[in-house]
Amino acid sequence: MPPPADIVKVAIEWPGANAQLIEMDQKRPLSSIIREVCDGWSLSGSEQFALRYADGPQLYITEQSRGDIKNGTILRLAISPARAARQLLERIQSHGIDARLEALKELAKLSADPTFAAEFINMEGIGTLARLVESGTHFGEMLAFTLTAFLELMDHGIVSWDLISLSFIKQIAGYVNQPMVDVSILQRSLAILESMVLNSHSLYHRVAQEITVGQLIGHLQVSNQEIQTYAIALINALFLKAPEDRRQEMASSLAQKHLRSIILNHVIRGNRPIKAEMAHQLYVLQVLTFNLLEERMMTKMDPNDQAQRDIIFELRRIAFDGENDPTGTEKRKAMYTKDYKMLGFTNHVNPAMDFTQTPPGMLALDNMLYLAKVHQDTYIRIVLENSSREDKHECPFGRCAIELTRMLCEILQVGELRNISLACQCFSFRNLFFCLLNKTWKEMRATAEDFNKVMQVVREQITRALAMKPSSIDQLKTKLRGLNYSEILRLRQSERMSQDDFQSPPIIELRERIQPEILELIKQQRLNRLCEGSCFRKLGNRRRQEKFWFCRLSLNHKVLHYGDLDESPQGEVPFELLSDKIPVSDIKSVVTGKDCPHMKEKSALKQNKEVLELAFSVLYDPDETLNFVAPNKYEYCIWTDGLCALLGREMGSDLTRSDLDTLISMEMKLRLLDLENITIPEAPPPVPKEPSSYNFTYNYS
């Protein structure tokens, strides 16, 4: 006979004594069990003791957490959290250095326990630790344990970070700014500053005044990946909490200090593997910086904004006036329209109108200015090369740049939190894509009428290259060079030929002839499953003892039988145990999801999305309903398909479509295989077995 569920067999240790093996009754108060254990070792004052786990984090056991104890667990009798907190606080404030160090070491370990943390904080323990840090008299191991305990205690969220003093912040920031500081102290200081920034708006401004991005970037160039991870985490926190206008300044500062190159050389290309936390922080950094593009992408250009119009003037000046043209723009104003046409803008008179559509909005103009200033030779060569051609094959730079930016926003999913592993690098290396487009335009010998065709080829080149998952821009450039226009044509032809066999008229006709047979086969399988029946949980019993009901279709498909059960059945439920029934002829319709009556009720609004997706109802005369919530998606598809088949309606679940495609493919392969193996027989061949008599077995588990 198995032991009662409330009895847990554990071992309890006490220093210098043999362990006690007891059967812990989880219904008894914990204080009563501790008193009994203390009596076994003749220890008085049981209220001064508590139980802790002997292994792992060694957390205290409370009435709330005792349910996690499993059979065979080893526990340890220890002094209570309140008593331990009082003793440690006294030892920390003692004058003996060795005693203080041991106390801080023990405190750093116990601070992870929420029960102990609450007791220590109630005794003003955090203030004591903060004063120790502010004094500046602690160094080395003692300071490291102090910072560890402080961070662990604050992470419980019992007290607000806003209570931290400015002198404490300055002291912690000082450890980060020091050129030579112990690694453990630096790690904890970076972590404390990150928590300050993330948990308090006012502390963000104080930390931002004490810590510069340049100082944090310096910590990325060390060999310790833990320090690098904490530094990037703090950069992310400062970036996340910065006001909108400040974020763009930070991004520019990070770019000027070559953050991407530093991360690439000192983190990604290092000789050690990137750990999970580092990978996460790099991902967050990419999201934060890359999503700055979304604001520019959705910002329309204001044709009346002189600062924005000056950017277009600058594009024209770089392309046509040269660096040392003393005449300026005044004498050439009459030629602006001609110049804007040569630059490839759609609106030659007022090119600002080309940037009023979002996306790509102002982001397209940013990219054009970046190319013109950072890669000026490339920009001038592309513009002049195409503007001087008279054979109708010129590539309109402005129009192409706008469309290319829109395309990249779609491919790289600007504003979304996924698929951005190369996104930041792609936009920071804009000349790569401008050169690609110009090169493809020339390879296709395109004219203005071929603009959309060229953009389709360029999109295919970029998506195919990214699908190869290059790990750097250099690899991306190599992939793109290999995907020239001729290669794209070859790939298209190859893929088309591999699909032609299944798109030929005989194959299409064969599929259409097979489909009704397979649909009938699926319909019979669904009805057979309804005849076996399924168990459903009754609604409204989540917080009470579970109740169930069972429903199954009669073997002649004319009646739905259902009834309540005391427990979940282990097999098929006989019809005799199902007291209620619905004639199929009375069923009017089957509804699903939010159309179900039991999902329209007020209490159903609290149901989660998963329950809503598994709900369906049978509506039958006279104005009655039978409401279901399937146990899983498979049972939902089986029952909704089966009921639709029963009513002579089209089955449409994902499971039906999947089965249909799978079985049709299987049957077509079998028939095509038979055709390939035909030989001229010496005697008449036997009559082949009819496809409809094949016996398919389904396994959906």
Side-chain angles (χ1 to χ4, degrees), residues 478-701:
T478 302
K479 302 295 183 186
L480 288 173
R481 278 197 297 268
L483 289 169
N484 54 32
Y485 180 54
S486 299
E487 179 63 13
I488 292 294
L489 289 179
R490 189 192 67 78
L491 290 172
R492 286 178 174 179
Q493 181 67 18
S494 176
E495 292 170 358
R496 190 180 299 113
M497 291 185 65
S498 65
Q499 296 174 359
D500 279 346
D501 288 343
F502 287 93
Q503 298 300 322
S504 60
I507 297 297
I508 294 175
E509 182 182 355
L510 177 60
R511 183 182 181 88
E512 292 174 350
R513 293 183 60 180
I514 291 174
Q515 184 162 323
E517 300 175 11
I518 302 301
L519 277 173
E520 182 63 23
L521 194 64
I522 295 172
K523 174 182 175 182
Q524 292 303 319
Q525 187 270 343
R526 301 291 193 266
L527 292 175
N528 291 340
R529 280 287 290 109
L530 264 61
C531 290
E532 295 172 7
S534 298
C535 179
F536 301 89
R537 180 177 57 81
K538 297 201 75 170
L539 293 179
N541 285 285
R542 289 192 169 202
R543 299 182 181 176
R544 294 176 292 180
Q545 187 175 358
E546 289 273 351
K547 291 187 178 181
F548 304 88
W549 64 287
F550 197 88
C551 185
R552 62 181 295 193
L553 179 65
S554 64
L555 299 180
N556 61 5
H557 299 175
K558 292 186 177 181
V559 179
L560 275 178
H561 296 265
Y562 65 97
D564 293 342
L565 300 174
D566 293 331
E567 57 183 9
S568 180
Q570 299 301 316
E572 189 176 55
V573 177
F575 289 104
E576 298 79 34
L577 297 180
L578 305 177
S579 57
D580 300 309
K581 60 183 179 181
I582 301 173
V584 172
S585 58
D586 290 347
I587 297 178
K588 295 187 292 186
S589 64
V590 176
V591 294
T592 61
K594 61 183 179 180
D595 295 328
C596 298
H598 58 310
M599 292 293 107
K600 293 181 179 179
E601 298 172 1
K602 191 172 183 179
S603 61
L605 296 175
K606 300 180 180 179
Q607 299 284 355
N608 57 34
K609 183 180 179 182
E610 181 182 355
V611 172
L612 193 65
E613 291 176 346
L614 298 177
F616 61 98
S617 298
V618 172
L619 310 183
Y620 62 96
D621 289 327
D623 298 326
E624 299 287 342
T625 64
L626 183 61
N627 299 318
F628 300 74
V629 174
N632 50 56
K633 193 66 175 177
Y634 166 68
E635 288 291 335
Y636 170 86
C637 291
I638 287 292
W639 273 85
T640 52
D641 280 347
L643 291 170
C644 288
L646 197 63
L647 300 178
R649 298 171 185 171
E650 183 179 356
M651 301 179 292
S653 75
D654 293 337
L655 195 58
T656 303
R657 291 191 288 271
S658 175
D659 284 351
L660 184 62
D661 292 338
T662 301
L663 292 177
I664 286 179
S665 297
M666 290 170 55
E667 183 66 5
M668 289 177 65
K669 289 178 181 178
L670 288 172
R671 296 195 181 192
L672 292 173
L673 185 62
D674 288 340
L675 289 174
E676 291 175 358
N677 294 333
I678 289 178
T679 58
I680 300 176
E682 296 180 359
V687 178
K689 192 175 184 180
E690 287 295 328
S692 59
S693 65
Y694 290 163
N695 182 22
F696 287 97
T697 302
Y698 297 82
N699 182 8
Y700 296 102
S701 60

Side-chain angles (χ1 to χ4, degrees), residues 33-218:
I33 297 173
I34 294 173
R35 186 184 309 112
E36 183 179 303
V37 172
C38 289
D39 291 342
W41 283 313
S42 301
L43 299 173
S44 59
S46 62
E47 66 278 0
Q48 297 293 318
F49 293 92
L51 292 176
R52 286 166 53 184
Y53 288 98
D55 302 320
Q58 302 182 9
L59 300 178
Y60 280 100
I61 294 168
T62 64
E63 290 288 354
Q64 292 74 30
S65 65
R66 63 186 297 181
D68 297 331
I69 301 175
K70 307 296 182 184
N71 280 320
T73 301
I74 300 176
L75 305 178
R76 178 175 297 160
L77 186 66
I79 59 174
S80 67
R83 184 179 172 189
R86 190 179 307 107
Q87 290 181 359
L88 286 175
L89 197 56
E90 292 172 356
R91 290 163 59 193
I92 289 171
Q93 295 172 323
S94 68
H95 297 291
I97 295 179
D98 292 338
R100 190 182 301 177
L101 177 60
E102 289 301 317
L104 288 169
K105 187 182 298 184
E106 181 69 16
L107 177 63
K109 182 172 65 175
L110 284 177
S111 295
D113 186 285
T115 308
F116 171 85
E119 296 289 349
F120 190 82
I121 291 171
N122 288 337
M123 299 176 186
E124 303 297 330
I126 286 183
T128 301
L129 295 179
R131 286 190 291 273
L132 290 176
V133 175
E134 292 170 9
S135 68
T137 58
H138 284 57
F139 304 97
E141 246 189 334
M142 190 174 292
L143 179 58
F145 287 128
T146 303
L147 296 179
T148 301
F150 179 86
L151 183 60
E152 291 284 0
L153 292 168
M154 292 299 296
D155 279 348
H156 290 293
I158 299 174
V159 295
S160 171
W161 282 90
D162 288 320
L163 300 176
I164 303 302
S165 67
L166 180 58
S167 60
F168 182 87
I169 297 174
K170 288 181 176 293
Q171 192 68 38
I172 296 297
Y175 298 137
V176 174
N177 295 335
Q178 287 180 17
M180 298 293 293
V181 68
D182 185 82
V183 170
S184 57
I185 295 174
L186 179 57
Q187 286 179 352
R188 288 152 181 79
S189 299
L190 289 168
I192 290 173
L193 291 175
E194 180 198 3
S195 295
M196 287 181 184
V197 172
L198 292 177
N199 290 284
S200 172
H201 180 71
S202 61
L203 291 185
Y204 156 75
H205 294 286
R206 295 180 180 179
V207 173
Q209 291 173 355
E210 301 293 332
I211 298 293
T212 66
V213 173
Q215 291 164 332
L216 294 176
I217 288 179

